[in-house]
Amino acid sequence: MRLLFLGDVVGRAGRDAVAARLPELIQRYDFDFVVVNGENASHGRGLTEPHYNGLREAGADVVTLGDHAFDQRDTLSYIAREPALLRPVNMPEGTPGRGATLIEGRNGHRVLVVNSLGRVFMNPIDDPFRATEAAVAACPLGEQADAVLVDFHTEATSEIQAMGHFLDGRVSLVVGTHTHIPTADHRILRGGTALMADAGMCGDFDSVIGVDAEEPLNRFLTGVPQNRFTPAEGEATLCGVAIETDPKTGLALRIAPIRHGGVLAQALPDF
Ligand SMILES: [Fe+2]
Ligand SMILES: [Fe+2]
């Protein structure tokens, strides 16, 4: 199976790039399943229903969120009727929506996707390790699920690498989101789990993590907020990671980073 994961879509630039280039990537690589993190798609804060629908129409089979999951009020209502939209699994009991979902892809493969939220340099939240493990155990790889993808949304790359080792051999991919900066540590662990500490964002990199540089810079220099943060509107780089899994075990055989278009563009991998 060939799966694609795309990191945090930021604002209009990110949404437009996904709409324009995701269908072309799916065709080029014949991806069976696509997951996109949409936590910053609506003006950098959360995901409205029309923008969620836009990501799905572009080819996302599942859309994940993160600490910005409920920045848009309408998410509280529409998330309940969207099995393909995930908020972190370790949010408190009673939070609307779900943190894990088993979805059948376009070629009939069943893919379990889990979204979880880290705790290092993040707001307090329940243990992501135990919560993610429980979601994976409820739907084991090679039994109910042909592939298992974990989007672990957190600030510290150490925490994501630890999650990779924790789940090694039990899931197809552990990929980090939230920092918006793609890392170069993509690899397959000993047990067969593919790992990348951060997928990077789908946004304009001529910015500070997707935000027009002026106001973040002002705040670092003076500590005094002068304006709101505004998403940068130049051409976005689509950042993510592609994996191929073993049809028998669901574990990873290959992993390749993707940085398509915009200022961070690299040649598309031979994958
Ligand atoms: Fe983000
Ligand atoms: Fe985030």
Side-chain angles (χ1 to χ4, degrees):
M1 242 188 117
R2 287 149 100 60
L3 301 101
L4 174 68
F5 181 91
L6 292 179
D8 311 39
V9 176
V10 182
R12 179 187 302 278
R15 295 194 314 268
D16 286 354
V18 169
R21 287 185 245 137
L22 177 55
E24 161 205 319
L25 280 178
I26 292 171
Q27 208 171 28
R28 177 185 176 120
Y29 291 106
D30 202 16
F31 287 119
D32 301 290
F33 203 85
V34 177
V35 179
V36 177
N37 185 297
E39 73 146 9
N40 308 109
S42 298
H43 208 69
R45 309 182 65 84
L47 182 65
T48 63
E49 188 166 17
H51 293 164
Y52 165 74
N53 290 333
L55 297 177
R56 297 269 287 135
E57 279 155 25
D61 295 288
V62 170
V63 176
T64 52
L65 295 167
D67 55 316
H68 290 289
F70 296 107
D71 282 4
Q72 299 289 335
R73 299 290 298 171
D74 73 335
T75 309
L76 286 166
S77 54
Y78 82 85
I79 197 171
R81 57 173 187 273
E82 292 296 336
L85 177 62
L86 298 182
R87 47 76 174 165
V89 70
N90 52 328
M91 282 182 155
E93 188 97 31
T95 303
R98 70 210 83 205
T101 193
L102 183 71
I103 299 273
E104 196 171 299
R106 54 185 68 85
N107 295 320
H109 301 101
R110 299 154 306 163
V111 181
L112 174 70
V113 183
V114 187
N115 187 198
S116 49
L117 193 55
R119 293 185 295 188
V120 180
F121 307 129
M122 303 290 282
N123 291 327
I125 192 91
D126 292 352
D127 181 352
F129 290 86
R130 275 23 179 266
T132 307
E133 181 176 48
V136 170
C139 194
L141 182 63
E143 296 175 34
Q144 280 99 315
D146 298 306
V148 178
L149 264 69
V150 175
D151 170 0
F152 187 29
H153 193 86
T154 194
E155 187 73 38
T157 46
S158 57
E159 198 180 9
I160 300 156
Q161 294 200 342
M163 181 68 86
H165 287 284
F166 181 61
L167 296 174
D168 188 19
R170 297 190 276 177
V171 307
S172 315
L173 171 69
V174 173
V175 61
T177 53
H178 179 72
T179 75
H180 294 193
I181 307 296
T183 57
D185 65 330
H186 52 278
R187 65 197 187 278
I188 297 172
L189 299 172
R190 270 179 230 178
T193 294
L195 174 65
M196 183 172 180
D198 204 295
M201 69 172 172
C202 296
D204 174 11
F205 276 86
D206 183 16
S207 68
V208 174
I209 64 167
V211 174
D212 260 337
E214 191 178 326
E215 180 58 15
L217 182 56
N218 163 61
R219 292 194 197 184
F220 281 116
L221 290 173
T222 69
V224 181
Q226 282 183 1
N227 290 300
R228 299 177 134 208
F229 288 140
T230 329
E233 300 245 302
E235 189 192 352
T237 303
L238 284 193
C239 284
V241 61
I243 63 164
E244 185 170 343
T245 58
D246 184 318
K248 285 200 200 78
T249 64
L251 292 166
L253 297 171
R254 291 202 292 162
I255 179 167
I258 304 274
R259 293 190 200 173
H260 188 30
V263 299
L264 233 61
Q266 290 180 346
L268 282 169
D270 197 12
F271 179 79

